[in-house]
Amino acid sequence: MHLNSEDLRHKIKTANLRPTQQRLALADLLFAQGNRHVTAERLHNEAMSSGVTVSLATIYNNLHQFTAAGLLREVVVDSSRSYFDTNVDPHHHFFHEKTGELEDIPRNELSVDNIPTLPEGTEISSVDVIVRVTARRD
Amino acid sequence: MHLNSEDLRHKIKTANLRPTQQRLALADLLFAQGNRHVTAERLHNEAMSSGVTVSLATIYNNLHQFTAAGLLREVVVDSSRSYFDTNVDPHHHFFHEKTGELEDIPRNELSVDNIPTLPEGTEISSVDVIVRVTARRD
DNA sequence: ATAGCTGCAAATGCTTTGCAAGGCC
DNA sequence: GGCCTTGCAAAGCATTTGCAGCTAT
């Protein structure tokens, strides 16, 4: 759960991407520590405040390239913006509606059963469970 | 599952909204038959082709007013557009990734169990399951 | 050298808003 | 009449795209 710059370089090369300055910086923010959930804007802010100059266009390019390479997964929980999750294994999420925070629910800690017959001629692509939570009022 | 214009009028008044020409036309498209899943654009097209003049702004106004009144529920499945569901009871969805079609999964036909401990100080707002499907490749 | 990347600025697509004119009670 | 609605056009936002210049190999 701790990747050094060599690990990151390797991860990027394996995805057939060039280890550019910006890409490495983003990979560092995303993958160096444990799992993360970020929006493009948040990642942009983090990059800026960590002293790396990256344009928003490049943030989007890289988020999509990482996603295409299977290094990230997009999570659809909010109609106004996209979230990207560094945990690409099947799992679910808690979504805090007020703060916009996402939190993983490991796949084995929640079970979805008895999925009915699929629509004619289709197969499952993924099963996404979102447990939306709000501050408890009591 | 079949509402005539009197029923629709009543439904609208109960929501403290005025039964205007446009609102009635939209309510008719949405609620007269069984459950539906629509995007703003789709509803706009349907209104137009059924001969009713409604601006897109009014479509959005009404979708939100109906949602606030509990007559519709917004479903988040696609980061690029919003879907509105006339079925406001707890239930889940199949989402066809290619066609953009949504289909209900009755609550009792699918079970979500063992939801882990919620994040500190929160309570559940809703549990949404989306079974994403694609055309079967065989 | 050259194919890939980056950044800017412009464009896009969905959605929202401001405001004047019109419709419902 | 007064307030709610509508519709238009403009504005807003997140995201995408075109393209010239830069960079990794």
Side-chain angles (χ1 to χ4, degrees):
Chain A
M1 216 45 124
H2 233 281
L3 305 186
N4 60 37
S5 55
E6 261 327 299
D7 296 332
L8 293 173
R9 247 195 159 66
H10 182 258
K11 185 160 188 152
I12 287 175
K13 288 199 148 175
T14 303
N16 276 308
L17 295 170
R18 288 185 183 174
T20 64
Q21 203 180 141
Q22 287 82 348
R23 190 124 65 205
L24 280 168
L26 298 181
D28 183 57
L29 290 169
L30 291 169
F31 309 118
Q33 261 74 239
N35 286 144
R36 303 206 52 194
H37 301 94
V38 300
T39 59
E41 196 197 353
R42 179 162 187 64
L43 186 57
H44 189 225
N45 290 338
E46 291 188 9
M48 297 312 250
S49 44
S50 77
V52 188
T53 304
V54 198
S55 73
L56 207 39
T58 297
I59 297 280
Y60 280 107
N61 281 341
N62 278 282
L63 285 174
H64 290 143
Q65 288 161 339
F66 286 153
T67 301
L71 269 36
L72 287 179
R73 179 230 248 204
E74 191 176 348
V75 183
V76 180
V77 281
D78 182 330
S79 49
S80 71
R81 55 174 160 219
S82 292
Y83 283 77
F84 292 86
D85 188 345
T86 60
N87 180 353
V88 294
D89 296 324
H91 67 284
H92 306 295
H93 294 97
F94 281 122
F95 179 62
H96 197 298
E97 298 185 318
K98 290 290 148 48
T99 65
E101 269 170 280
L102 266 179
E103 191 176 323
D104 281 356
I105 300 177
R107 193 236 266 280
N108 62 313
E109 286 188 19
L110 180 155
S111 60
V112 178
D113 296 307
N114 306 315
I115 294 175
T117 310
L118 303 188
E120 188 60 27
T122 66
E123 63 182 0
I124 291 180
S125 156
S126 69
V127 177
D128 300 340
V129 179
I130 298 160
V131 179
R132 293 173 192 273
V133 302
T134 49
R136 184 168 49 220
R137 40 153 181 76
D138 45 11
Chain B
M1 216 44 123
H2 233 282
L3 305 185
N4 60 37
S5 54
E6 261 326 299
D7 297 330
L8 292 173
R9 246 194 158 68
H10 181 257
K11 185 159 188 154
I12 286 175
K13 289 198 148 176
T14 302
N16 276 307
L17 295 170
R18 289 184 182 172
T20 64
Q21 204 181 140
Q22 288 82 349
R23 191 123 63 205
L24 280 168
L26 297 181
D28 183 58
L29 290 171
L30 291 169
F31 308 119
Q33 262 73 239
N35 287 143
R36 304 206 51 194
H37 302 92
V38 299
T39 59
E41 196 197 353
R42 179 162 186 65
L43 186 58
H44 190 225
N45 289 339
E46 291 187 9
M48 298 310 251
S49 44
S50 77
V52 189
T53 303
V54 198
S55 74
L56 205 40
T58 297
I59 297 281
Y60 279 107
N61 282 341
N62 278 282
L63 285 174
H64 290 144
Q65 289 161 338
F66 286 153
T67 301
L71 269 38
L72 287 181
R73 179 229 249 204
E74 191 176 348
V75 183
V76 181
V77 282
D78 181 332
S79 49
S80 72
R81 55 177 163 219
S82 293
Y83 282 78
F84 293 86
D85 188 345
T86 60
N87 179 355
V88 294
D89 296 324
H91 67 285
H92 305 295
H93 295 97
F94 281 121
F95 179 61
H96 198 298
E97 297 185 317
K98 291 290 147 49
T99 65
E101 269 171 280
L102 267 178
E103 191 176 324
D104 282 356
I105 299 177
R107 193 236 265 279
N108 61 312
E109 286 188 19
L110 179 154
S111 61
V112 178
D113 296 307
N114 307 317
I115 294 175
T117 310
L118 303 188
E120 190 59 29
T122 66
E123 63 182 0
I124 291 181
S125 157
S126 69
V127 177
D128 301 339
V129 179
I130 299 159
V131 179
R132 294 172 193 274
V133 302
T134 48
R136 185 168 48 221
R137 42 151 180 77
D138 44 11

Short mmCIF file of all heavy atoms in Angstrom, two decimals, chain A residues 13 18-19 57 60 64 80-82, chain D residues 13-18 23-25:
data_model
loop_
_atom_site.label_atom_id
_atom_site.label_comp_id
_atom_site.label_asym_id
_atom_site.label_seq_id
_atom_site.Cartn_x
_atom_site.Cartn_y
_atom_site.Cartn_z
N LYS A 13 4.30 2.72 -17.00
CA LYS A 13 4.84 2.09 -18.22
C LYS A 13 4.04 0.85 -18.60
O LYS A 13 3.79 0.59 -19.77
CB LYS A 13 6.31 1.71 -17.99
CG LYS A 13 7.21 2.92 -17.96
CD LYS A 13 8.66 2.53 -18.21
CE LYS A 13 9.38 3.66 -18.94
NZ LYS A 13 10.83 3.39 -19.09
N ARG A 18 3.49 7.23 -21.05
CA ARG A 18 4.82 7.77 -20.78
C ARG A 18 4.88 8.40 -19.39
O ARG A 18 3.98 9.16 -19.02
CB ARG A 18 5.17 8.84 -21.81
CG ARG A 18 5.47 8.26 -23.17
CD ARG A 18 5.92 9.36 -24.07
NE ARG A 18 6.14 8.87 -25.42
CZ ARG A 18 6.43 9.63 -26.44
NH1 ARG A 18 6.51 10.94 -26.27
NH2 ARG A 18 6.61 9.13 -27.62
N PRO A 19 5.94 8.12 -18.69
CA PRO A 19 6.09 8.69 -17.35
C PRO A 19 6.49 10.16 -17.41
O PRO A 19 7.62 10.51 -17.09
CB PRO A 19 7.19 7.83 -16.73
CG PRO A 19 7.99 7.37 -17.89
CD PRO A 19 7.02 7.20 -19.02
N ALA A 57 -7.18 20.30 -18.25
CA ALA A 57 -7.33 19.42 -19.42
C ALA A 57 -6.46 18.18 -19.25
O ALA A 57 -6.89 17.06 -19.56
CB ALA A 57 -6.96 20.17 -20.68
N TYR A 60 -8.00 15.76 -16.77
CA TYR A 60 -9.04 14.94 -17.39
C TYR A 60 -8.44 13.90 -18.31
O TYR A 60 -8.83 12.73 -18.30
CB TYR A 60 -10.03 15.83 -18.16
CG TYR A 60 -11.05 16.47 -17.27
CD1 TYR A 60 -11.00 17.82 -16.98
CD2 TYR A 60 -12.08 15.73 -16.70
CE1 TYR A 60 -11.95 18.42 -16.14
CE2 TYR A 60 -13.02 16.30 -15.87
CZ TYR A 60 -12.95 17.65 -15.60
OH TYR A 60 -13.88 18.23 -14.77
N HIS A 64 -8.86 9.84 -17.55
CA HIS A 64 -9.46 8.92 -18.52
C HIS A 64 -8.50 7.86 -19.01
O HIS A 64 -8.87 6.70 -19.22
CB HIS A 64 -10.06 9.71 -19.68
CG HIS A 64 -11.27 10.48 -19.28
ND1 HIS A 64 -11.58 11.72 -19.76
CD2 HIS A 64 -12.24 10.18 -18.38
CE1 HIS A 64 -12.69 12.15 -19.18
NE2 HIS A 64 -13.12 11.25 -18.33
N SER A 80 -23.70 15.96 -10.92
CA SER A 80 -22.98 17.16 -11.33
C SER A 80 -21.48 16.97 -11.54
O SER A 80 -20.83 17.83 -12.09
CB SER A 80 -23.23 18.30 -10.34
OG SER A 80 -22.57 18.04 -9.13
N ARG A 81 -20.93 15.88 -11.06
CA ARG A 81 -19.50 15.66 -11.30
C ARG A 81 -19.12 14.19 -11.22
O ARG A 81 -19.82 13.39 -10.65
CB ARG A 81 -18.66 16.47 -10.33
CG ARG A 81 -19.04 16.17 -8.91
CD ARG A 81 -18.12 16.85 -7.93
NE ARG A 81 -18.72 16.97 -6.63
CZ ARG A 81 -18.59 18.06 -5.86
NH1 ARG A 81 -17.91 19.07 -6.30
NH2 ARG A 81 -19.13 18.09 -4.67
N SER A 82 -17.95 13.88 -11.77
CA SER A 82 -17.47 12.50 -11.81
C SER A 82 -16.47 12.23 -10.71
O SER A 82 -15.62 13.07 -10.43
CB SER A 82 -16.82 12.21 -13.16
OG SER A 82 -17.78 12.22 -14.18
P DC D 13 -21.06 28.96 -11.69
OP1 DC D 13 -21.49 29.11 -10.30
OP2 DC D 13 -19.97 29.77 -12.28
"O5'" DC D 13 -20.72 27.45 -11.95
"C5'" DC D 13 -21.50 26.75 -12.92
"C4'" DC D 13 -21.20 25.28 -12.86
"O4'" DC D 13 -21.56 24.77 -14.14
"C3'" DC D 13 -19.72 24.94 -12.69
"O3'" DC D 13 -19.59 23.68 -12.07
"C2'" DC D 13 -19.22 24.95 -14.10
"C1'" DC D 13 -20.42 24.40 -14.89
N1 DC D 13 -20.52 24.99 -16.25
C2 DC D 13 -21.14 24.24 -17.25
O2 DC D 13 -21.61 23.13 -16.95
N3 DC D 13 -21.22 24.75 -18.49
C4 DC D 13 -20.71 25.94 -18.76
N4 DC D 13 -20.81 26.40 -20.01
C5 DC D 13 -20.07 26.73 -17.75
C6 DC D 13 -20.00 26.22 -16.51
P DA D 14 -18.20 23.09 -11.59
OP1 DA D 14 -18.37 22.65 -10.20
OP2 DA D 14 -17.12 24.03 -11.94
"O5'" DA D 14 -18.07 21.79 -12.51
"C5'" DA D 14 -19.06 20.78 -12.37
"C4'" DA D 14 -18.97 19.86 -13.56
"O4'" DA D 14 -19.17 20.60 -14.76
"C3'" DA D 14 -17.62 19.14 -13.70
"O3'" DA D 14 -17.87 17.79 -14.00
"C2'" DA D 14 -16.94 19.89 -14.84
"C1'" DA D 14 -18.13 20.33 -15.69
N9 DA D 14 -17.91 21.55 -16.46
C8 DA D 14 -17.36 22.72 -16.02
N7 DA D 14 -17.31 23.66 -16.94
C5 DA D 14 -17.87 23.06 -18.06
C6 DA D 14 -18.11 23.53 -19.36
N6 DA D 14 -17.80 24.75 -19.78
N1 DA D 14 -18.69 22.66 -20.23
C2 DA D 14 -19.01 21.43 -19.80
N3 DA D 14 -18.83 20.88 -18.60
C4 DA D 14 -18.25 21.76 -17.77
P DT D 15 -16.65 16.78 -14.19
OP1 DT D 15 -17.16 15.44 -13.87
OP2 DT D 15 -15.46 17.32 -13.50
"O5'" DT D 15 -16.43 16.85 -15.77
"C5'" DT D 15 -17.50 16.46 -16.62
"C4'" DT D 15 -17.13 16.71 -18.06
"O4'" DT D 15 -16.98 18.12 -18.31
"C3'" DT D 15 -15.82 16.05 -18.52
"O3'" DT D 15 -16.14 15.12 -19.55
"C2'" DT D 15 -14.97 17.22 -19.02
"C1'" DT D 15 -16.03 18.27 -19.34
N1 DT D 15 -15.58 19.68 -19.34
C2 DT D 15 -15.75 20.42 -20.49
O2 DT D 15 -16.24 19.98 -21.50
N3 DT D 15 -15.30 21.71 -20.42
C4 DT D 15 -14.72 22.34 -19.33
O4 DT D 15 -14.37 23.51 -19.41
C5 DT D 15 -14.58 21.51 -18.16
C7 DT D 15 -13.96 22.08 -16.92
C6 DT D 15 -15.00 20.24 -18.21
P DT D 16 -15.04 14.35 -20.37
OP1 DT D 16 -15.62 13.05 -20.76
OP2 DT D 16 -13.76 14.41 -19.64
"O5'" DT D 16 -14.91 15.24 -21.69
"C5'" DT D 16 -16.09 15.56 -22.40
"C4'" DT D 16 -15.74 16.25 -23.70
"O4'" DT D 16 -15.31 17.61 -23.45
"C3'" DT D 16 -14.60 15.58 -24.49
"O3'" DT D 16 -15.05 15.50 -25.83
"C2'" DT D 16 -13.42 16.54 -24.31
"C1'" DT D 16 -14.12 17.87 -24.15
N1 DT D 16 -13.42 18.90 -23.33
C2 DT D 16 -13.30 20.18 -23.85
O2 DT D 16 -13.67 20.48 -24.96
N3 DT D 16 -12.71 21.08 -23.00
C4 DT D 16 -12.25 20.85 -21.72
O4 DT D 16 -11.75 21.77 -21.06
C5 DT D 16 -12.39 19.50 -21.26
C7 DT D 16 -11.92 19.14 -19.88
C6 DT D 16 -12.97 18.59 -22.07
P DT D 17 -14.15 14.78 -26.95
OP1 DT D 17 -15.07 14.03 -27.82
OP2 DT D 17 -13.00 14.10 -26.31
"O5'" DT D 17 -13.59 16.02 -27.78
"C5'" DT D 17 -14.41 17.14 -28.00
"C4'" DT D 17 -13.64 18.19 -28.78
"O4'" DT D 17 -13.03 19.13 -27.85
"C3'" DT D 17 -12.51 17.64 -29.65
"O3'" DT D 17 -12.54 18.33 -30.89
"C2'" DT D 17 -11.25 17.96 -28.85
"C1'" DT D 17 -11.66 19.26 -28.16
N1 DT D 17 -10.99 19.56 -26.87
C2 DT D 17 -10.69 20.88 -26.60
O2 DT D 17 -10.88 21.78 -27.37
N3 DT D 17 -10.11 21.09 -25.37
C4 DT D 17 -9.82 20.15 -24.41
O4 DT D 17 -9.32 20.47 -23.35
C5 DT D 17 -10.17 18.78 -24.77
C7 DT D 17 -9.89 17.69 -23.81
C6 DT D 17 -10.74 18.57 -25.97
P DG D 18 -11.63 17.84 -32.12
OP1 DG D 18 -12.55 17.54 -33.25
OP2 DG D 18 -10.68 16.81 -31.66
"O5'" DG D 18 -10.82 19.17 -32.46
"C5'" DG D 18 -11.43 20.46 -32.30
"C4'" DG D 18 -10.44 21.54 -32.69
"O4'" DG D 18 -9.73 21.99 -31.50
"C3'" DG D 18 -9.35 21.08 -33.65
"O3'" DG D 18 -8.98 22.18 -34.47
"C2'" DG D 18 -8.24 20.62 -32.74
"C1'" DG D 18 -8.37 21.58 -31.54
N9 DG D 18 -8.08 20.99 -30.23
C8 DG D 18 -8.32 19.72 -29.82
N7 DG D 18 -7.97 19.50 -28.57
C5 DG D 18 -7.48 20.73 -28.14
C6 DG D 18 -6.97 21.13 -26.88
O6 DG D 18 -6.85 20.45 -25.85
N1 DG D 18 -6.57 22.46 -26.86
C2 DG D 18 -6.67 23.30 -27.94
N2 DG D 18 -6.24 24.55 -27.75
N3 DG D 18 -7.15 22.95 -29.13
C4 DG D 18 -7.53 21.65 -29.15
P DT D 23 9.69 20.83 -22.59
OP1 DT D 23 9.85 21.55 -21.32
OP2 DT D 23 10.75 20.87 -23.64
"O5'" DT D 23 9.41 19.31 -22.27
"C5'" DT D 23 8.10 18.74 -22.31
"C4'" DT D 23 8.24 17.23 -22.35
"O4'" DT D 23 7.93 16.74 -23.68
"C3'" DT D 23 9.63 16.69 -22.05
"O3'" DT D 23 9.46 15.39 -21.52
"C2'" DT D 23 10.25 16.59 -23.43
"C1'" DT D 23 9.04 16.04 -24.20
N1 DT D 23 9.03 16.26 -25.65
C2 DT D 23 8.43 15.29 -26.44
O2 DT D 23 7.93 14.28 -25.97
N3 DT D 23 8.43 15.57 -27.77
C4 DT D 23 8.95 16.66 -28.40
O4 DT D 23 8.88 16.78 -29.61
C5 DT D 23 9.59 17.64 -27.52
C7 DT D 23 10.21 18.86 -28.09
C6 DT D 23 9.60 17.39 -26.19
P DA D 24 10.42 14.82 -20.38
OP1 DA D 24 9.85 15.11 -19.05
OP2 DA D 24 11.79 15.26 -20.72
"O5'" DA D 24 10.35 13.24 -20.63
"C5'" DA D 24 9.08 12.61 -20.57
"C4'" DA D 24 9.05 11.45 -21.55
"O4'" DA D 24 9.14 11.95 -22.91
"C3'" DA D 24 10.20 10.44 -21.39
"O3'" DA D 24 9.65 9.14 -21.47
"C2'" DA D 24 11.12 10.74 -22.57
"C1'" DA D 24 10.16 11.26 -23.62
N9 DA D 24 10.72 12.24 -24.55
C8 DA D 24 11.46 13.35 -24.25
N7 DA D 24 11.80 14.06 -25.30
C5 DA D 24 11.23 13.38 -26.37
C6 DA D 24 11.21 13.63 -27.74
N6 DA D 24 11.80 14.69 -28.32
N1 DA D 24 10.54 12.75 -28.53
C2 DA D 24 9.96 11.70 -27.95
N3 DA D 24 9.90 11.37 -26.66
C4 DA D 24 10.55 12.26 -25.92
P DT D 25 10.65 7.87 -21.31
OP1 DT D 25 9.81 6.79 -20.75
OP2 DT D 25 11.88 8.30 -20.61
"O5'" DT D 25 11.01 7.51 -22.80
"C5'" DT D 25 10.02 6.88 -23.62
"C4'" DT D 25 10.65 6.47 -24.94
"O4'" DT D 25 10.98 7.64 -25.70
"C3'" DT D 25 11.96 5.69 -24.77
"O3'" DT D 25 12.00 4.60 -25.69
"C2'" DT D 25 13.03 6.70 -25.15
"C1'" DT D 25 12.30 7.53 -26.18
N1 DT D 25 12.84 8.90 -26.37
C2 DT D 25 12.75 9.46 -27.61
O2 DT D 25 12.24 8.90 -28.56
N3 DT D 25 13.26 10.72 -27.72
C4 DT D 25 13.86 11.47 -26.71
O4 DT D 25 14.29 12.60 -26.93
C5 DT D 25 13.92 10.82 -25.43
C7 DT D 25 14.54 11.53 -24.28
C6 DT D 25 13.42 9.57 -25.32
#
